[in-house]
Amino acid sequence: MTPPDILPFASVRGTWGAMGAEVGQIFSPLIGRHLDAWIAHVTRETGAPRAAVVAAAQPYAAAIQTHAPFLWEELEGMARGSGIPLEELLVLQARAEVLRAKRLARPAAPATEPPGECTTFALGGRRAESGRTLFGQNVDLAPFLAEFGVIVRQQPREAPATLMYMTAGLLGHNGLNEAGVGVCANFVDDPGGWGDGLPRYLLSRLALREETAAGALDAAMRPPRAASRNLLIADAGGDFVDAELLCREAGLIRGQDGLLVHANHLEAACFQGYEKPTENSLRRRERLEALLAGAPEPLTVADIQRYYRDHADAPHSLCAHPFPGRDVQTVVSVIGDLERLELHAAKGSPCRAVYATYTIATCRDGSLSVMVRDAYQPAPA
């Protein structure tokens, strides 16, 4: 087998600004390509020129400065390290908000249904090997984003060390911290529309500063939200919760019998009747729950890797690939182990990739940070 195509990895420590600068320097070319590709995507979708796209991101600066000043410091450092202007890096932090704003501003824009993105889970107790808490996500986005994924390990001075998946230049998406808290973030829509507040991707970073799932939930719900977001939060103690966060309302779903699964439709009791779920979201959610609930116990990481490669119910499959009307694919598959403090991540569609294992504990003891122990043999493309 040829050497696997795995996600680039960076390990940084120090102040928020110093860590941002180092990540910016390490990934500068990748950040630049991600920024250009995203702006080109917004332009194709909305007709907005580059200057208008950058301008649309600027109002979000105040919310970051007010509600997550440590992230503003990190972003300033990333601008220094990468050589990319801060105002352009703001586009990546608010990329979904900017895209939607420019779509709404387009004259006579046709109504479009947002595509479902991502299928998440958490499980523990008797369901998981050695009673551990496992969580994860197939991240389904525009296919071009697959090439920009990275794993970043941070050792800040004033918060738990973290191990996170993100697209280069974006400050957060999903991951875990050394206290044993894990976060996945996926799309839900708010029928009432989006507004002002903290960009949705950054809510994960607030959660990962905490030491319990309950604390992480409180931190993520505290600031005003610019967009709707679904957060699945778990901790090593076996507590996990799914928070459906609309801009001004929130609905919580607790795990049942050691299992919690979510896709992209609203399920909280308080949101019943708010929307009509898409077939794609319903089928993916049902399939993952059936696989996890019906499997022989206890489940291992290898079992879940196999399930996230599943193509049953295609084109509405867990391992997502584009089909007419939905130009979305799985750009990364991430599975976290909150006892071993490991992320297992497959770059791109997991049916075509191996999972590499990234560790957080090694930032303390200096041993290997990244390894491949997945025996899967991807079929030739």
Side-chain angles (χ1 to χ4, degrees):
M1 180 178 176
T2 57
D5 185 11
I6 65 174
L7 293 165
F9 172 77
S11 182
V12 298
R13 67 178 66 196
T15 65
W16 300 108
M19 291 190 297
E22 190 170 356
V23 168
Q25 185 175 27
I26 292 169
F27 293 130
S28 179
L30 201 59
I31 295 170
R33 293 199 300 272
H34 177 202
L35 176 67
D36 290 343
W38 186 259
I39 291 177
H41 175 63
V42 177
T43 297
R44 285 193 303 272
E45 292 285 315
T46 70
R50 185 183 184 98
V53 175
V54 173
Q58 302 317 297
Y60 298 100
I64 301 173
Q65 292 167 344
T66 300
H67 302 289
F70 74 103
L71 290 180
W72 186 256
E73 182 183 340
E74 190 174 327
L75 195 61
E76 289 179 320
M78 185 177 290
R80 291 194 304 272
S82 66
I84 297 171
L86 180 59
E87 59 268 23
E88 294 193 353
L89 290 176
L90 275 170
V91 173
L92 298 181
Q93 315 318 311
R95 66 186 190 188
E97 291 86 351
V98 167
L99 174 59
R100 177 169 290 203
K102 300 317 292 180
R103 277 179 173 156
L104 292 175
R106 188 177 188 179
T112 58
E113 181 181 85
E117 301 171 352
C118 314
T119 319
T120 61
F121 83 94
L123 61 85
R126 62 176 173 79
R127 294 188 182 275
E129 184 180 29
S130 302
R132 303 201 301 272
T133 301
L134 305 177
F135 74 103
Q137 178 174 11
N138 265 10
V139 177
D140 306 335
L141 294 168
F144 71 88
L145 291 171
E147 72 171 283
F148 305 121
V150 299
I151 301 288
V152 174
R153 186 174 64 197
Q154 289 187 336
Q155 269 188 274
R157 295 176 176 175
E158 57 192 59
T162 57
L163 186 65
M164 301 174 288
Y165 163 80
M166 58 191 74
T167 38
L170 180 57
L171 293 179
H173 194 147
N174 62 37
L176 57 84
N177 70 20
E178 66 179 334
V181 173
V183 179
C184 289
N186 56 304
F187 178 85
V188 289
D189 203 15
D190 186 336
W194 291 2
D196 300 323
L198 195 69
R200 62 180 193 152
Y201 277 103
L202 304 186
L203 298 175
S204 300
R205 289 294 304 276
L206 297 180
L208 288 174
R209 289 165 62 89
E210 303 301 321
E211 298 190 355
T212 64
L217 176 63
D218 288 344
M221 292 181 65
R222 199 169 295 134
R225 297 180 288 274
S228 48
R229 193 60 159 164
N230 190 80
L231 294 179
L232 189 150
I233 302 172
D235 66 28
D239 184 17
F240 37 85
V241 61
D242 188 277
E244 295 177 341
L245 304 178
L246 305 189
C247 290
R248 294 177 178 81
E249 300 174 87
L252 303 182
I253 305 167
R254 299 288 175 178
Q256 297 292 323
D257 193 22
L259 178 63
L260 181 56
V261 176
H262 200 278
N264 305 112
H265 55 280
L266 299 172
E267 295 190 57
C270 60
F271 293 148
Q272 295 309 296
Y274 272 43
E275 64 176 5
K276 180 181 179 181
T278 66
E279 180 183 7
N280 181 270
S281 182
L282 286 168
R283 297 284 283 276
R284 285 184 286 110
R285 190 232 181 275
E286 290 168 358
R287 177 62 175 169
L288 185 56
E289 183 171 50
L291 287 169
L292 295 174
E297 296 170 353
L299 289 165
T300 66
V301 168
D303 292 325
I304 297 165
Q305 290 172 351
R306 185 170 69 254
Y307 300 153
Y308 268 153
R309 289 172 169 135
D310 185 81
H311 290 112
D313 300 322
H316 306 299
S317 54
L318 292 172
C319 184
H321 299 271
F323 62 88
R326 187 172 187 264
D327 187 25
V328 167
Q329 78 168 59
T330 301
V331 301
V332 69
S333 180
V334 178
I335 301 164
D337 182 327
L338 292 177
E339 180 179 305
R340 294 181 176 172
L341 300 181
E342 295 176 338
L343 281 183
H344 307 269
K347 180 180 179 180
S349 299
C351 66
R352 300 171 181 167
V354 296
Y355 285 83
T357 301
Y358 302 79
T359 64
I360 196 172
T362 56
C363 68
R364 303 298 185 194
D365 62 31
S367 56
L368 284 174
S369 299
V370 184
M371 65 198 88
V372 178
R373 51 194 183 199
D374 181 3
Y376 178 69
Q377 296 285 333

